[in-house]
């Protein structure tokens, strides 16, 4: 007997489920038999199971205070645990969230910032602020400029980066990070920030 989930189970509409089968993230399905027993589950690594075959997305809001930046960072790192990109994710979230609190109305009384994450081969990290006096900008490298090194480092870590919105209504600053396995060496954050 087969039935189709009308409202969607676990956020995936119109998937077929069969009695006697268990569906796991990524569509891994194993038929439960008496010979197999419960101890024979095999998913590979935690990162493979987490990634699955479909992107997963999360949104959270945080009070516009600097003490909320580490909370947002820890949330993001926990979602990307086992990907091998936890350092890059932590840095990007820290930089974008800190900028939102320091340079926009998000850091004013009653302000907030939003964090959006999509876990897929090309991960999306976006931080939404409440706008302010200016537009976030990646500044060119210069020995005289102390500011702007963080967004330059984010742009170097990301395969794509962008900003949409405006100072009156708010901005979303986003970065895409390639999570696919690679043999190329990773960027050294300390070297990038020292530039």
């Amino acid at each position: 007997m087969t039935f189709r989930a009308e409202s969607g189970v676990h956020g995936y509409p119109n998937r077929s489920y069969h009695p006697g089968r268990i569906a796991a993230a990524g569509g891994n399905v194993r038929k439960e038999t008496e010979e197999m027993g419960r101890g024979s589950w095999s998913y590979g690594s935690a990162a493979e199971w987490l990634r699955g075959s479909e992107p997963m997305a999360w949104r959270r809001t945080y009070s516009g205070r600097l003490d909320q930046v580490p909370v947002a960072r820890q949330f993001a790192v926990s979602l990307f645990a086992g990907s091998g990109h936890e350092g890059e994710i932590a840095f990007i979230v820290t930089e974008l969230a800190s900028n939102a609190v320091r340079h926009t109305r998000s850091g004013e009384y009653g302000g907030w910032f939003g964090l959006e994450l999509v876990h897929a081969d090309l991960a999306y990290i976006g931080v939404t602020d409440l706008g302010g006096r200016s537009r976030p900008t990646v500044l060119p490298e210069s020995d005289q400029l102390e500011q702007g090194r963080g967004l330059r480092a984010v742009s170097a870590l990301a395969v794509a980066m962008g900003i949409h919105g405006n100072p009156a209504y708010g901005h979303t600053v986003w970065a895409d990070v390639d999570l696919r396995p690679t043999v190329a060496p990773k960027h050294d954050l300390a070297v990038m920030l020292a530039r």
Side-chain angles (χ1 to χ4, degrees), residues 136-148:
T137 306
V138 179
L139 298 173
E141 287 190 42
S142 171
D143 293 335
Q144 287 85 27
L145 295 175
E146 277 299 310
Q147 297 178 348

Side-chain angles (χ1 to χ4, degrees), residues 41-71:
W41 293 95
S42 177
Y43 292 112
S45 73
E48 289 170 338
W49 179 84
L50 182 62
R51 231 183 4 254
S53 64
E54 303 207 16
M56 295 182 288
W58 299 268
R59 278 185 166 183
R60 281 201 173 169
T61 58
Y62 298 89
S63 295
R65 300 187 321 260
L66 285 175
D67 67 343
Q68 293 299 293
V69 172
V71 177

Side-chain angles (χ1 to χ4, degrees), residues 1-4 9-10 15-25 27-34 36-38 41 43:
M1 177 176 177
T2 300
F3 68 94
R4 187 165 293 280
V9 176
H10 301 290
R15 287 239 174 135
S16 295
Y17 292 91
H18 307 275
R21 290 189 177 188
I22 307 295
N28 298 324
V29 177
R30 178 179 73 97
K31 184 160 176 65
E32 184 76 47
T33 65
E34 291 179 15
M36 294 174 86
R38 293 197 181 267
W41 293 95
Y43 292 112

Side-chain angles (χ1 to χ4, degrees), residues 25-189:
N28 298 324
V29 177
R30 178 179 73 97
K31 184 160 176 65
E32 184 76 47
T33 65
E34 291 179 15
E35 301 88 39
M36 294 174 86
R38 293 197 181 267
S40 61
W41 293 95
S42 177
Y43 292 112
S45 73
E48 289 170 338
W49 179 84
L50 182 62
R51 231 183 4 254
S53 64
E54 303 207 16
M56 295 182 288
W58 299 268
R59 278 185 166 183
R60 281 201 173 169
T61 58
Y62 298 89
S63 295
R65 300 187 321 260
L66 285 175
D67 67 343
Q68 293 299 293
V69 172
V71 177
R73 176 182 58 234
Q74 184 57 42
F75 173 66
V77 167
S78 71
L79 296 176
F80 289 90
S83 69
H85 296 272
E86 297 88 347
E88 291 110 313
I89 301 297
F91 179 82
I92 291 169
V93 169
T94 300
E95 181 62 28
L96 300 184
S98 296
N99 285 350
V101 173
R102 288 186 174 127
H103 303 299
T104 75
R105 287 189 297 272
S106 291
E108 295 176 2
Y109 179 78
W112 58 271
F113 66 91
L115 175 64
E116 182 175 8
L117 303 164
V118 177
H119 195 298
D121 284 344
L122 193 59
Y124 171 86
I125 302 150
V127 173
T128 299
D129 64 45
L130 298 179
R133 296 173 294 280
S134 62
R135 180 176 168 84
T137 306
V138 179
L139 298 173
E141 287 190 42
S142 171
D143 293 335
Q144 287 85 27
L145 295 175
E146 277 299 310
Q147 297 178 348
R149 292 189 318 190
L151 283 182
R152 271 198 315 276
V154 168
S155 70
L157 289 172
V159 294
M161 179 183 172
I163 300 157
H164 60 82
N166 62 56
Y169 298 107
H171 306 96
T172 297
V173 183
W174 58 269
D176 287 340
V177 176
D178 191 350
L179 297 185
R180 293 174 292 192
T182 180
V183 293
K186 292 186 177 182
H187 300 284
D188 186 347
L189 286 174

